[in-house]
Amino acid sequence: MPLLEVRNLKVYYDLPQGTVKAVDGVSFSLEKGEILGVAGESGSGKSTLAHSIIGLVKPPGRVVDGEIIFEGRNLLELSEEELREIRGKDITMVFQDPNTYLNPVLRIGIQVGEVYEAHLGIEPRKAIDKVVDLLRKVRLTDPERRVESYPHELSGGMKQRVMISMAIALKPKLIILDEPTSALDVTIQAEIMELLMEMRDELGAAMIFISHDLELLGQVSDRLMIMYGGRLVEIGETEEIFRDPLHPYTEALINAIKYVRKEELPTLEGEPPSLLKPPPGCRFHPRCPKRMDRCSLVEPGEYMVGGRRVSCLLYEEEGDA
Amino acid sequence: MEAPPKMSLARYIARRVLQAIPTLLILIVFMFILVRILPGDPARLIAGLEATEEDVERIREVLGLNKPLHEQFIDYMSGLLRGDLGTSIKYDRPVLEEILARFPKTLELAIAAELIAIALAIPLGVVSALKPYTKTGLLATIVSLIGSSMPIYWLGLMLIYIFSVQLRLLPSSGTGTLAHLVLPAVTLATLLMGNLVRITRASVLEALESNYIVTARSKGLREEVVVYRHALRNALIPIITITGLQLGALLGGAILTETVFAWPGLGQLLLTAINSRDYPLIQGIIIFYAVILIVINLVIDIAYAYIDPRVRVSLWSSG
């Protein structure tokens, strides 16, 4: 049994202008200890997907359909209290911008200690030794002093270490990383990545690693999932996808990395699709170099090609997944 | 940065006090002129209707009102520098003594009203932010509507009519016992709650939209902890600002409320002083009021620093 199985998940935002289908029928599974990279442009629905797994989609967003099965239980059917027990303990999350995701008026020691408060019933002040140990583990310098600090007294990299410490405190089974290095300086990014991988080796936790940086995902993930306009485009082994991308969108992304290395700037024509009024048929067809007449008429299903699942009419004859 | 060293707090206060001096000076000049522009002649009021022109002139001389304006001002300022606010024309007592005799009553009423308002408005505001479409949410809307739109003297009179005249539960006017305090304090508190409920609701709503709330929830914290520890603490800054400004306004004397309930505070004193063109007393009360406002603003700023560590940095380090 996989650790996590997401089936036909749909998360919509009801806005005055209409319904935004941010995640529109996405399915995938995750084994224990596996790292799944999720790539896509901003607005592809990858961040909404991450938040919905932990039950934290901000209104007016709501999960309209699907199942999120974690260790055999459908998280969407759990009570708020049952879900609360899983959050921060079995499933944790590291967010994009540590500057806004830490509370500016509470000391670091309290904010980290709250994890123990929520799940072990230890008051944050009494958990201070545990917090210091934890901060040492994420290699925050001078942890005894840092527990007394406020977020604004720390650099961005230090803050992200604090966020990571909260996420690993109770040895979770799944850590969701939502662009954990995008808001940081380039030099700090490498340090944080190194720490994340080290923690992952130590804990053996599975990870969902969300990023728009396909090259980074190529280095760290076992499998890769590409999203476009709220839909899954392609999912499979990372190596295979890099070697032989099936979907024209995946191909364009991977070519982009190769060309950047050669310092020729490639561009994908056009703009990301409007999720309010997505193009008919395949959502990628207006930008697709391999576009066929049918692409604007028929929505592609998901087809199995080898070990991979791909959503493109080019592979229709391979049969439904 | 760590807990602020004591010295820097003292320095900060000293700097703020120095900054207040020019503000006060400008205020005094304007006030001095404005009071004298008021129609009506104190000497004539004191002398009475029967008095002769000579009598009035003699009183003017005693009061120093026959001197040119700039000389009067210099006299007044030199008194101020010696801590002398002058002598009340009407009461024939030092102005400062008269103010300090009334101030405790005003303080009592202001604090009672503010405490009632805080105790009711903050929980009401928080609940209505969390559950806007429940009965409590509706109650919060009604309270803030009443508080911000009902004329205070009308509310006061209604309360007197119900609780003093009809039910005979509480005294309608005067002071002395706790029972005397209830009606005026409740009247004022209603007025204060209008704003306070709205501000609390809005700032809690805003705090709840913040990203750190998502983090707090992702840790598996209970919703009460998320709201009271994470959201409310951040929402306190605007709440404290409003509370401080309200308290400042009340300490100057709640003129309408004090009049309706015959409450012998600064508000009534100011009204009497204006009616009798008691220049030194009017001036004294206004200066006293200005000083209170300056002190309260300072206290608010220091309170910010204790709630928000980021403010602390900028306060202690600038200057």
Side-chain angles (χ1 to χ4, degrees):
Chain A
M1 184 179 72
L3 178 71
L4 176 79
E5 198 169 353
V6 173
R7 290 186 196 141
N8 192 31
L9 185 69
K10 293 183 179 175
V11 187
Y12 293 176
Y13 290 85
D14 295 313
L15 301 181
Q17 308 92 297
T19 300
V20 171
K21 298 177 177 179
V23 175
D24 199 12
V26 170
S27 306
F28 65 92
S29 67
L30 186 69
E31 299 297 327
K32 288 191 182 69
E34 186 183 32
I35 302 185
L36 175 70
V38 180
E41 294 165 305
S42 36
S44 63
K46 55 194 196 308
S47 195
T48 299
L49 175 70
H51 283 78
S52 61
I53 291 171
I54 199 167
L56 290 176
V57 179
K58 278 189 190 174
R62 64 197 166 88
V63 175
V64 287
D65 196 15
E67 286 170 60
I68 300 172
I69 298 173
F70 178 74
E71 297 196 302
R73 290 199 289 173
N74 185 356
L75 299 185
L76 297 177
E77 285 169 359
L78 296 187
S79 70
E80 186 53 34
E81 179 61 20
E82 287 169 314
L83 201 54
R84 188 192 70 73
E85 282 169 14
I86 293 176
R87 266 185 215 140
K89 181 167 173 286
D90 294 328
I91 305 180
T92 61
M93 193 154 171
V94 176
F95 300 94
Q96 177 168 3
D97 182 1
N99 299 308
T100 62
Y101 280 93
L102 281 172
N103 192 326
V105 303
L106 294 176
R107 292 179 197 276
I108 297 298
I110 301 286
Q111 297 196 51
V112 177
E114 279 182 331
V115 179
Y116 297 111
E117 180 190 23
H119 299 285
L120 305 179
I122 309 173
E123 261 183 64
R125 281 175 204 290
K126 293 192 178 147
I128 223 75
D129 290 342
K130 281 176 177 288
V131 172
V132 170
D133 286 346
L134 199 55
L135 293 181
R136 190 168 291 127
K137 205 167 181 178
V138 295
R139 294 200 298 277
L140 194 69
T141 48
D142 209 356
E144 290 86 357
R145 208 162 63 84
R146 285 303 166 206
V147 290
E148 298 294 323
S149 299
Y150 289 96
H152 71 270
E153 297 163 47
L154 273 57
S155 70
M158 290 160 88
K159 278 184 251 196
Q160 198 59 305
R161 284 177 196 275
V162 171
M163 296 294 290
I164 292 169
S165 79
M166 296 185 212
I168 62 165
L170 298 173
K171 305 196 167 39
K173 293 165 183 149
L174 170 60
I175 305 177
I176 301 168
L177 305 162
D178 186 10
E179 306 247 10
T181 59
S182 311
L184 304 174
D185 290 345
V186 181
T187 46
I188 309 296
Q189 284 183 6
E191 286 176 28
I192 294 294
M193 278 313 301
E194 192 188 332
L195 176 70
L196 281 171
M197 290 308 114
E198 192 184 308
M199 293 297 124
R200 187 253 170 189
D201 291 343
E202 195 181 315
L203 298 173
M207 283 181 171
I208 296 179
F209 197 128
I210 292 165
S211 179
H212 61 270
D213 184 345
L214 193 63
E215 192 170 13
L216 178 69
L217 291 180
Q219 291 160 13
V220 300
S221 57
D222 302 315
R223 279 193 310 145
L224 204 54
M225 174 161 113
I226 317 286
M227 288 183 72
Y228 187 85
R231 292 260 172 104
L232 179 143
V233 160
E234 184 168 355
I235 184 169
E237 302 282 333
T238 306
E239 271 178 46
E240 283 182 33
I241 290 184
F242 267 78
R243 193 183 332 117
D244 175 28
L246 295 177
H247 197 286
Y249 179 59
T250 316
E251 197 179 349
L253 291 180
I254 287 175
N255 281 340
I257 298 175
K258 292 179 182 161
Y259 284 114
V260 168
R261 287 203 187 120
K262 289 190 209 155
E263 293 183 357
E264 291 168 37
L265 260 173
T267 44
L268 190 57
E269 295 290 324
E271 285 169 17
S274 152
L275 293 179
L276 213 50
K277 254 190 116 175
C282 172
R283 291 184 185 183
F284 185 59
H285 85 263
R287 301 165 77 186
C288 185
K290 297 182 179 172
R291 174 175 57 235
M292 305 178 288
D293 290 342
R294 294 177 60 230
C295 291
S296 58
L297 304 170
V298 186
E299 276 194 34
E302 293 183 348
Y303 314 106
M304 290 303 291
V305 181
R308 262 184 284 173
R309 189 148 48 95
V310 60
S311 174
C312 176
L313 289 174
L314 287 173
Y315 305 95
E316 198 175 13
E317 72 279 8
E318 316 270 347
D320 280 318
Chain B
M1 82 157 261
E2 310 302 315
K6 285 239 159 43
M7 259 321 286
S8 55
L9 177 60
R11 257 183 41 208
Y12 174 69
I13 293 175
R15 189 160 47 91
R16 286 288 299 263
V17 169
L18 284 177
Q19 282 171 353
I21 290 174
T23 317
L24 268 179
L25 265 177
I26 294 170
L27 174 95
I28 291 169
V29 173
F30 270 96
M31 175 195 72
F32 196 85
I33 295 166
L34 280 176
V35 166
R36 275 154 184 79
I37 291 174
L38 275 180
D41 179 350
R44 207 168 282 282
L45 277 172
I46 291 170
L49 288 172
E50 314 280 294
T52 62
E53 204 51 42
E54 287 79 49
D55 291 338
V56 174
E57 193 53 43
R58 200 153 13 85
I59 292 171
R60 261 194 203 118
E61 210 162 301
V62 172
L63 296 177
L65 294 175
N66 57 336
K67 293 185 191 171
L69 208 56
H70 66 272
E71 276 181 39
Q72 290 185 39
F73 184 73
I74 291 167
D75 285 351
Y76 187 69
M77 282 309 292
S78 66
L80 265 189
L81 290 177
R82 283 177 273 118
D84 179 7
L85 287 175
T87 305
S88 161
I89 298 174
K90 182 176 166 64
Y91 296 99
D92 197 23
R93 274 177 48 171
V95 164
L96 190 60
E97 234 171 73
E98 199 61 37
I99 291 174
L100 290 180
R102 301 292 192 105
F103 185 60
K105 279 290 149 198
T106 290
L107 192 64
E108 182 187 328
L109 180 57
I111 289 179
E114 196 64 64
L115 286 181
I116 295 173
I118 289 173
L120 295 175
I122 293 184
L124 206 52
V126 171
V127 173
S128 77
L130 297 180
K131 296 176 176 147
Y133 303 113
T134 58
K135 281 181 187 153
T136 327
L138 189 66
L139 181 68
T141 313
I142 294 173
V143 166
S144 66
L145 206 63
I146 290 178
S148 36
S149 56
M150 192 179 282
I152 194 155
Y153 53 88
W154 191 78
L155 178 65
L157 289 175
M158 279 297 121
L159 289 178
I160 289 176
Y161 179 72
I162 296 170
F163 291 98
S164 307
V165 179
Q166 294 294 328
L167 300 175
R168 301 188 174 282
L169 284 175
L170 294 163
S172 65
S173 68
T175 172
T177 67
L178 201 60
H180 284 98
L181 185 58
V182 175
L183 286 186
V186 167
T187 306
L188 267 185
T190 308
L191 178 79
L192 302 178
M193 279 175 68
N195 261 328
L196 215 47
V197 168
R198 265 189 312 119
I199 298 288
T200 305
R201 190 183 126 89
S203 50
V204 168
L205 276 179
E206 197 193 319
L208 281 172
E209 286 290 302
S210 307
N211 283 340
Y212 56 79
I213 295 294
V214 179
T215 308
R217 290 197 174 121
S218 81
K219 282 185 254 188
L221 285 174
R222 283 172 205 287
E223 196 59 19
E224 306 93 77
V225 180
V226 173
V227 171
Y228 289 98
R229 187 184 298 156
H230 285 267
L232 190 56
R233 231 188 122 103
N234 278 281
L236 274 182
I237 293 249
I239 296 174
I240 283 188
T241 311
I242 294 293
T243 311
L245 292 178
Q246 288 182 339
L247 204 58
L250 291 187
L251 289 179
I255 297 179
L256 287 174
T257 310
E258 288 188 2
T259 306
V260 170
F261 292 98
W263 186 265
L266 272 188
Q268 283 232 54
L269 187 66
L270 180 61
L271 199 63
T272 316
I274 293 173
N275 281 335
S276 52
R277 304 293 183 275
D278 190 340
Y279 295 168
L281 190 52
I282 300 174
Q283 289 164 182
I285 294 174
I286 294 175
I287 292 174
F288 185 77
Y289 186 37
V291 170
I292 283 186
L293 279 185
I294 288 168
V295 170
I296 287 208
N297 275 312
L298 180 61
V299 172
I300 293 175
D301 283 351
I302 292 174
Y304 284 166
Y306 276 91
I307 292 171
D308 191 335
R310 291 164 300 183
V311 177
R312 215 170 299 165
V313 176
S314 57
L315 278 198
W316 303 159
S317 56
S318 64

